[in-house]
Amino acid sequence: MQSKKQNNIVVSGNEAASLAVRHSGVTAAYAYPGTPSTELMEYIISSESGLGFWCANEKTALEAALGVSFAGGRSFVSMKHVGLNVAADPLMSCANVKINGGIAIVVADDPGMHSSQNEQDTRYLADFAKVPCYDPATVQDAYDMIRDAYELSEQLFKPVIVRMCTRLSHSKGVLQPRDAQPKVTKAPGVATEWNVVPAFAKKGLARALEKHTEAEKLSENSIYNTVNDAKNELGVITTGLAREYFLELEAGLPHLHIGFYPAPSEKIRNFVSKHKKILVLEEGSPYIERFLRGLLPTAQIIQGKMDNTLPLIGELNSDIIKKALGIPVPSTNMDLNFTLSNRPPQLCVGCPHRDTFNIIKDAIAGEDVILNADIGCYSLGALPPYGLPITLEDMGASIPMAKGAAQSGKKTLAIIGDSTFLHSGITGLIDCVNINAPVTVLILDNQTTAMTGGQPQLLPSERLTQIAEGIGVPKEHVIEFNPMPKHHQKNVELLKKEMAYAGVSVLIGKRECIETYKRGLKK
């Protein structure tokens, strides 16, 4: 449903997405912070709309949104690409229930891994779940697609994903918003259409597949899938943000752009048939390129990431695309014959983790100890000046990995933050308690979600102790300590003692993040 346009404003992609949510008649919005999506929810919360809520993890965020949808309201969820892995369980199931109030899910991919452990492409999970996916190229697209996503979600009874990328989330552009829509309220859903017991789920799957076929037909005529044809043996296909890099070149080549999925098969087939050579430009994985190549050879030459015409790793840019098109890249007259000094990321001056790492270094000196760390600021302990031999796998992996290493006969230490512990560390600790594994868990409680900008702690610090004890860690082995230099030797002895204990122990280092502390002083 279109509404009256307002005056143009200049905003980032995350701001545009935030505004679209607030204009779409949403009851509630949920998220777990993760760059490059974090600011989106921060904008919603700071707007004082009362819509935005941080959650323990991405799974609980999506499940809360499902509760809103069943009750008859519209809901919103945001996360980064690896967060969608955590939310994959409810995503795959809710794709087959009869969504009631519309659900839009913004997932921010991170090509180039600016702040992530991989370059995962959300289009694959959207395809796997058979849910529609928008792929915006501009801040205007981000706004319009989110608003359209609610109408489509309620038309197809499916959640709808809007896939953004780092460059779009953080860059600014001109946006023309439309009038805000009043809050949407419907009657609650029918329970049997929201129940995945096999007897009901089989009917749900049949309905979902039928709606997926409808989505494929809608894709052929979507305003976000456009063709600008011309006579040339080379045709260019772009997806999402890659379109803007291509349009900057004003190459005048035949051009098919895909901004909505399922991919428009007939439109692609017709476009490809008119050209001898196809260049596919897409941010992330070679999703459309693989779609074109299939399993059998084609008459057309397909170029892209799979034949090394474009790099398989990292972000696209105008120079990369110029080279792929055979357009000369202007040389610079600047003297580049100098070396920039290396500036690796490092912990803030005054960060409590600095003192904790010094405690760890002294406590394990001369010992054969495996250190399993987690996602958070403390991952920087692997870099100078600390250089600790820590593993870092995924959110919440530190404690289960330490358990596995302990069962292999190794002395282990799991290092995890307070927010990450609440996100996905508790279940790993339960596993340890279940077999009384000789694992020491070090919870670095800086009383905030620091790495993503200092979002508030979901539970007060004292609850961490209560949770550990409630799970079954012996009270005498759940110990809080203050990681200050003046307590250094005492803390070293404490850590050595607990690592020597043949069972589960939890040490909680409590000291506020220096940045959130300074912000508190300014209020």
Side-chain angles (χ1 to χ4, degrees):
M1 181 177 68
Q2 297 294 314
S3 56
K4 188 172 67 176
K5 294 180 178 178
Q6 299 177 345
N7 293 333
N8 289 355
I9 54 176
V10 177
V11 293
S12 69
N14 279 340
E15 287 177 294
S18 163
L19 199 60
V21 173
R22 288 181 276 142
H23 286 180
S24 295
V26 167
T27 293
Y30 304 100
Y32 182 82
T35 305
S37 70
T38 305
E39 297 89 352
L40 199 169
M41 183 55 66
E42 287 185 331
Y43 290 131
I44 293 176
I45 292 172
S46 65
S47 71
E48 298 183 354
S49 60
L51 300 177
F53 302 91
W54 293 117
C55 296
N57 61 41
E58 296 84 359
K59 180 178 185 289
T60 64
L62 178 51
E63 289 162 345
L66 291 171
V68 173
S69 174
F70 179 78
R74 286 183 171 180
S75 55
F76 174 77
V77 190
S78 65
M79 62 194 70
K80 66 184 295 178
H81 59 305
V82 289
L84 189 57
N85 298 334
V86 179
D89 189 10
L91 175 67
M92 297 301 162
S93 293
C94 76
N96 295 339
V97 305
K98 192 173 182 180
I99 292 299
N100 190 24
I103 300 178
I105 307 169
V106 164
V107 183
D109 288 0
D110 190 17
M113 296 190 290
H114 297 283
S115 58
S116 307
Q117 59 266 46
N118 65 38
E119 287 191 337
Q120 180 176 314
D121 192 321
T122 293
R123 293 177 295 174
Y124 283 96
L125 273 176
D127 182 46
F128 187 35
K130 288 187 168 51
V131 299
C133 178
Y134 288 102
D135 199 359
T138 64
V139 296
Q140 188 68 55
D141 278 353
Y143 177 88
D144 290 339
M145 288 176 172
I146 289 172
R147 296 207 63 174
D148 290 353
Y150 285 101
E151 302 291 337
L152 185 64
S153 177
E154 291 165 356
Q155 177 183 346
L156 300 179
F157 312 126
K158 287 175 174 278
V160 176
I161 290 175
V162 180
R163 178 220 185 202
M164 295 177 66
C165 292
T166 302
R167 200 63 57 178
L168 176 57
S169 291
H170 293 162
S171 62
K172 294 202 171 187
V174 177
L175 170 68
Q176 187 174 68
R178 306 194 299 268
D179 284 350
Q181 185 176 352
K183 184 179 291 187
V184 174
T185 54
K186 304 169 68 177
V190 177
T192 55
E193 295 172 337
W194 279 73
N195 191 313
V196 293
V197 168
F200 300 135
K202 290 174 184 177
K203 295 179 181 179
L205 176 58
R207 180 181 60 247
L209 291 175
E210 180 182 330
K211 290 300 180 180
H212 185 68
T213 300
E214 185 178 336
E216 290 176 324
K217 293 177 182 177
L218 291 172
S219 182
E220 298 294 340
N221 298 306
S222 171
I223 61 172
Y224 300 114
N225 296 334
T226 59
V227 177
N228 181 14
D229 222 336
K231 286 192 175 181
N232 197 298
E233 70 171 18
L234 174 62
V236 177
I237 297 178
T238 63
T239 70
L241 189 59
R243 182 187 72 188
E244 299 307 290
Y245 294 124
F246 173 70
L247 293 180
E248 283 180 2
L249 305 181
E250 298 182 343
L253 293 168
H255 176 211
L256 166 63
H257 177 69
I258 301 171
F260 175 73
Y261 302 86
S265 303
E266 288 302 316
K267 187 168 281 189
I268 293 172
R269 188 176 290 113
N270 290 338
F271 181 80
V272 170
S273 68
K274 298 176 183 178
H275 308 286
K276 292 183 179 180
K277 188 184 293 185
I278 299 294
L279 175 64
V280 184
L281 305 175
E282 49 192 330
E283 198 72 280
S285 299
Y287 177 79
I288 290 295
E289 186 181 347
R290 283 199 177 101
F291 185 85
L292 292 184
R293 290 178 184 275
L295 295 175
L296 302 175
T298 65
Q300 286 77 15
I301 298 171
I302 308 297
Q303 294 182 313
K305 297 189 174 188
M306 297 177 70
D307 70 343
N308 296 320
T309 299
L310 300 165
L312 193 58
I313 298 174
E315 293 179 292
L316 295 176
N317 59 48
S318 296
D319 285 350
I320 289 173
I321 294 175
K322 283 179 182 177
K323 290 177 183 178
L325 292 172
I327 299 173
V329 178
S331 59
T332 175
N333 294 324
M334 292 177 60
D335 179 13
L336 299 179
N337 189 27
F338 60 90
T339 302
L340 291 172
S341 59
N342 189 23
R343 296 181 63 190
Q346 56 185 307
L347 295 169
C348 304
V349 175
C351 174
H353 299 339
R354 289 177 173 239
D355 295 304
T356 302
F357 289 145
N358 289 330
I359 294 167
I360 294 171
K361 288 188 76 170
D362 285 356
I364 67 171
E367 298 282 342
D368 183 16
V369 181
I370 289 179
L371 304 180
N372 299 117
D374 228 298
I375 306 297
C377 296
Y378 41 90
S379 61
L380 298 176
L383 303 178
Y386 309 101
L388 290 169
I390 61 177
T391 66
L392 184 68
E393 218 291 318
D394 64 76
M395 201 81 163
S398 59
I399 301 177
M401 285 186 69
K403 169 179 172 276
Q407 289 183 288
S408 301
K410 300 294 185 181
K411 184 179 288 188
T412 64
L413 176 64
I415 305 168
I416 190 168
D418 53 312
S419 181
T420 306
F421 178 71
L422 295 173
H423 178 285
S424 49
I426 296 173
T427 48
L429 185 59
I430 292 171
D431 284 350
C432 290
V433 170
N434 179 51
I435 62 168
N436 195 31
V439 170
T440 300
V441 176
L442 187 57
I443 301 177
L444 309 188
D445 178 15
N446 59 6
Q447 298 160 40
T448 188
T449 309
M451 184 169 252
T452 51
Q455 290 73 39
Q457 196 177 30
L458 288 185
L459 293 176
S461 293
E462 57 270 18
R463 297 283 182 87
L464 299 177
T465 298
Q466 294 169 1
I467 289 170
E469 292 177 354
I471 287 171
V473 181
K475 286 189 176 184
E476 64 271 22
H477 292 288
V478 180
I479 305 168
E480 297 179 357
F481 70 96
N482 187 348
M484 292 286 285
K486 63 183 179 180
H487 304 308
H488 176 76
Q489 196 54 44
K490 175 184 173 182
N491 290 333
V492 169
E493 295 305 318
L494 172 64
L495 183 52
K496 282 183 176 181
K497 177 185 174 184
E498 291 305 314
M499 285 195 297
Y501 169 59
V504 185
S505 60
V506 175
L507 302 181
I508 305 171
K510 295 176 62 172
R511 189 172 132 207
E512 187 177 3
C513 166
I514 188 66
E515 293 301 316
T516 56
Y517 173 75
K518 289 191 292 187
R519 281 201 291 270
L521 292 178
K522 293 177 182 178
K523 291 182 180 179

